[in-house]
Amino acid sequence: MKPVALMVGVLSRTVALSALLALGLTLHAQAQTDPLPSWNDGAAKQAIVNFVKDTTTQGSPKFVPPAERIATFDQDGTLWVEQPVYSFVMYALEQVPALVKAKPALAKTAPFSTVLEILKGDRAALAKLTMPDLEKVLAATYTNRSVDQFNAEVTKWIAEAKDPRWKKPYTELTYLPMQEVLKYLRANGFKTYIVTGGGQDFVRTYSEKVYGIPPEQVIGTAGVLKFSYAKDGKPYLFKEPKLLLNDNDAGKPEGIHLMIGRRPVMAAGNSTGDQQMLEYTKAGGGASLSLLVLHDDAKREYAYGPARGLPATKVGTFTQALYDEAKKQGWTVISMKDDWKKIFAFD
């Protein structure tokens, strides 16, 4: 090859390599700057990005001072899997054998006898449990012990328990797109809270590790506590079998005011139990964003409603009336099937 031709060839390859490198760096930069990479481009993603931009840009008519940037999230069905049974309920059910061992008469007493049937594999027996039945089981397994004892029991259970479908710990079944939203908000000066119908002390044992949300930013259903002293004089808090706050439906905004003292400017949920929280958020009058997760992906997760003709469920009910209200109020409905590229980090 002649020297001139050789130089031209080398130069051409150099230019081509430079172009490829530049393209790679551009794509990498775009990936790095996209705060929600697990979301498909669409109205839901754009609503979140626009809200954060509008509320954090100085001079914007929708600017929200950092101290007022409060975002509240339901947990079950919004941040992680809630089907076929809420994890906090599964914990309670799996504590029943130990309860029966301590009090053998309970083995023949409903609803504890029914729970034993369920744990032996009789899933049909689950339908026999009424709400009063569940309340009895929850009261028996969540109370009459110290806070420290309860926390230790839950910490051990959450480290060992696995979801029946994926055979993975519940803590691995968080929704990656929602984890990205939590991080995106915090990176822009928002304070993120969990507002759940589940047990407050239950969620506080793992919230910081799983979501980056410290226990003091978790509001949930809570019972009455009593300060007391052990025989050695050490003070402790005792969980009494009395309900203090039912953090569902209207209890959510009530709990928010009681524990936070500020109205959220953003709220996310997935069921009728979250409606009042979303209504309360919008009623603030300023900039706000309300999100509802619709479970419509039976292949990658679950599909249930009964909104939009999806199967009805008692766990995380999303009615057509709620869907219609969301459209009327301008709330953003997130389709798991259409809006999320990935659902779990392990996908």
Side-chain angles (χ1 to χ4, degrees):
M1 183 180 291
K2 294 181 178 181
V4 173
L6 179 62
M7 290 177 64
V8 171
V10 171
L11 181 61
S12 297
R13 286 194 292 273
T14 302
V15 170
L17 286 171
S18 297
L20 286 172
L21 179 60
L23 176 61
L25 289 173
T26 299
L27 291 174
H28 178 70
Q30 290 176 344
Q32 291 293 96
T33 56
D34 183 355
L36 304 174
S38 296
W39 292 70
N40 288 314
D41 291 330
K45 178 177 181 177
Q46 199 59 51
I48 297 168
V49 172
N50 288 346
F51 172 76
V52 172
K53 181 180 179 181
D54 291 343
T55 55
T56 60
T57 301
Q58 285 281 358
S60 165
K62 296 183 178 180
F63 178 76
V64 175
E68 298 175 17
R69 294 176 196 169
I70 304 297
T72 57
F73 292 77
D74 166 60
Q75 181 192 228
D76 299 297
T78 301
L79 296 179
W80 75 359
V81 173
E82 64 183 352
Q83 293 285 349
V85 182
Y86 299 117
S87 55
F88 72 89
V89 172
M90 277 305 304
Y91 165 78
L93 298 181
E94 292 186 7
Q95 304 312 302
V96 169
L99 201 64
V100 169
K101 185 177 181 180
K103 300 179 180 179
L106 293 178
K108 297 181 180 180
T109 304
F112 303 100
S113 56
T114 305
V115 172
L116 293 177
E117 293 176 31
I118 296 169
L119 295 177
K120 289 177 182 177
D122 185 359
R123 289 292 175 183
L126 191 60
K128 298 178 184 178
L129 290 178
T130 64
M131 185 53 68
D133 288 338
L134 282 175
E135 289 172 354
K136 287 181 182 178
V137 175
L138 288 168
T141 55
Y142 274 66
T143 66
N144 287 319
R145 67 204 68 198
S146 72
V147 169
D148 291 339
Q149 181 185 351
F150 178 78
N151 289 349
E153 292 168 352
V154 173
T155 299
K156 183 177 185 296
W157 183 84
I158 206 75
E160 299 173 351
K162 293 187 177 181
D163 175 85
R165 174 176 170 180
W166 284 278
K167 311 301 181 185
K168 292 179 178 291
Y170 290 100
T171 51
E172 291 184 23
L173 298 181
T174 64
Y175 303 135
L176 181 60
M178 297 305 285
Q179 288 275 26
E180 291 172 356
V181 171
L182 290 173
K183 293 175 183 177
Y184 181 37
L185 290 170
R186 291 195 290 263
N188 283 276
F190 281 82
K191 206 168 185 178
T192 54
Y193 289 80
I194 290 176
V195 180
T196 175
Q200 179 169 277
D201 286 339
F202 180 86
V203 179
R204 283 177 170 177
T205 62
Y206 57 79
S207 62
E208 190 158 29
K209 181 179 180 180
V210 175
Y211 303 112
I213 297 177
E216 64 268 23
Q217 289 169 217
V218 173
I219 304 167
T221 297
V224 173
L225 297 175
K226 182 180 180 180
F227 181 81
S228 190
Y229 295 93
K231 292 181 179 179
D232 62 0
K234 184 179 179 180
Y236 69 97
L237 289 172
F238 185 78
K239 296 171 68 68
E240 295 200 320
K242 299 176 184 177
L243 184 65
L244 177 66
L245 172 66
N246 180 6
D247 198 54
N248 208 28
D249 301 310
K252 291 203 171 188
E254 292 168 358
I256 288 169
H257 177 73
L258 180 69
M259 302 291 285
I260 303 175
R262 290 185 185 271
R263 189 191 302 263
V265 293
M266 177 180 173
N270 77 294
S271 73
T272 54
D274 303 309
Q275 182 169 346
Q276 288 90 338
M277 178 171 70
L278 272 60
E279 291 172 340
Y280 180 64
T281 298
K282 185 177 180 181
S288 68
L289 178 65
S290 295
L291 305 175
L292 277 169
V293 177
L294 179 65
H295 295 257
D296 57 356
D297 196 329
K299 183 177 181 180
R300 295 189 298 170
E301 202 242 13
Y302 293 98
Y304 54 97
R308 303 192 66 183
L310 293 166
T313 179
K314 292 182 179 180
V315 176
T317 305
F318 190 141
T319 63
Q320 185 61 43
L322 177 60
Y323 185 86
D324 294 341
E325 185 66 17
K327 293 301 181 182
K328 178 182 176 182
Q329 296 292 339
W331 301 342
T332 298
V333 177
I334 299 164
S335 164
M336 296 183 83
K337 184 177 181 180
D338 298 332
D339 290 317
W340 290 354
K341 292 178 184 177
K342 295 175 67 175
I343 290 183
F344 304 112
F346 57 78
D347 283 344

